[in-house]
Amino acid sequence: MVVSAAGDLDGDGFEDIVLSEPGSGTAGRVHLFFGPLSGALPLTAADASWTGSASGAVLAVAGARDTDGDGLHDLVLGAEASTLCGTGCGTTWLLLGPTTAVTSLSNADAILLGSTGSAFGSGVALGDVDGDGVADVAVGAQSSGVGGAIHLFVGPLSGTINSTAADGRIFTPFALDDLGASLSLGDVDGDGTDDVVGGAPRFNGGAINSGGAFLLMGGEGL
């Protein structure tokens, strides 16, 4: 199970929580609980739930940023083993707040599709990398190319988008690094624009497969 702070998706001033239930059915389920929370709650008490739209459970979740400028936080979900677009292609879904639905991820506000075997959705993150005031979507694809890649999609987003249509792509020339297995966006240099940190667990740094993390500063031209 993967748990993450989701930000404030319903605009009530309280932080919400999202968690994935990968063992539910063939494609798993994702549950959203609106804050404040207390006590012991069953998953059936979730304020919103989504079922996967193809085999391959959601294992990456991120939120707490606004991709469409409506003042409410949105949610991005990644399933690297999704077969929606081919074997091992991976899929990422964007869900705009507010949401209280119990539905399929096929009804997501935006669906991002990887290429066969790329594991697109191994890591996901939201942040404003181009400084326009609207959050963008970053998606890791740890099996893309020779050593993995990170795809950047400038918000707002809607409809179905292929990974080949990404606004930016970060990749490594080193084989089997698995760049994009983990991913985060945040402003590390204080310039007001979010930066990209990508994890590569099999990067040969200090030793074979010792792993590494790579930082790229955000801003125009990233």
Side-chain angles (χ1 to χ4, degrees):
M1 181 174 290
V2 179
V3 181
S4 176
D8 183 9
L9 273 81
D10 58 349
D12 65 352
F14 293 99
E15 296 286 314
D16 309 317
I17 295 174
V18 62
L19 58 89
S20 70
E21 185 188 9
S24 177
T26 60
R29 288 174 62 85
V30 178
H31 306 278
L32 175 67
F33 292 84
F34 293 146
L37 297 170
S38 63
L41 299 173
L43 294 179
T44 53
D47 295 285
S49 296
W50 300 270
T51 58
S53 55
S55 62
V58 170
L59 295 176
V61 297
R65 297 303 293 267
D66 179 13
T67 67
D68 59 348
D70 67 350
L72 297 175
H73 289 157
D74 307 317
L75 189 63
V76 64
L77 311 172
E80 63 181 80
S82 169
T83 58
L84 187 62
C85 43
T87 303
C89 66
T91 305
T92 295
W93 297 269
L94 176 65
L95 303 164
L96 302 180
T99 179
T100 57
V102 178
T103 184
S104 169
L105 287 176
S106 60
N107 297 318
D109 296 283
I111 301 175
L112 312 178
L113 302 174
S115 57
T116 299
S118 66
F120 182 80
S122 52
V124 295
L126 296 176
D128 183 11
V129 299
D130 60 352
D132 66 352
V134 176
D136 312 307
V137 179
V139 183
Q142 68 179 53
S143 299
S144 176
V146 297
I150 297 170
H151 298 76
L152 300 175
F153 300 85
V154 174
L157 300 173
S158 63
T160 301
I161 305 171
N162 289 318
S163 59
T164 53
D167 296 287
R169 185 170 178 265
I170 302 165
F171 64 91
T172 172
F174 306 112
L176 302 177
D177 279 355
D178 287 356
L179 176 65
S182 58
L183 183 60
S184 183
L185 300 182
D187 183 9
V188 301
D189 58 353
D191 66 351
T193 302
D194 286 326
D195 310 306
V196 182
V197 181
R202 298 177 65 190
F203 173 69
N204 294 330
I208 295 176
N209 291 338
S210 59
F214 299 87
L215 169 66
L216 294 95
M217 298 301 181
E220 187 176 350
L222 175 64

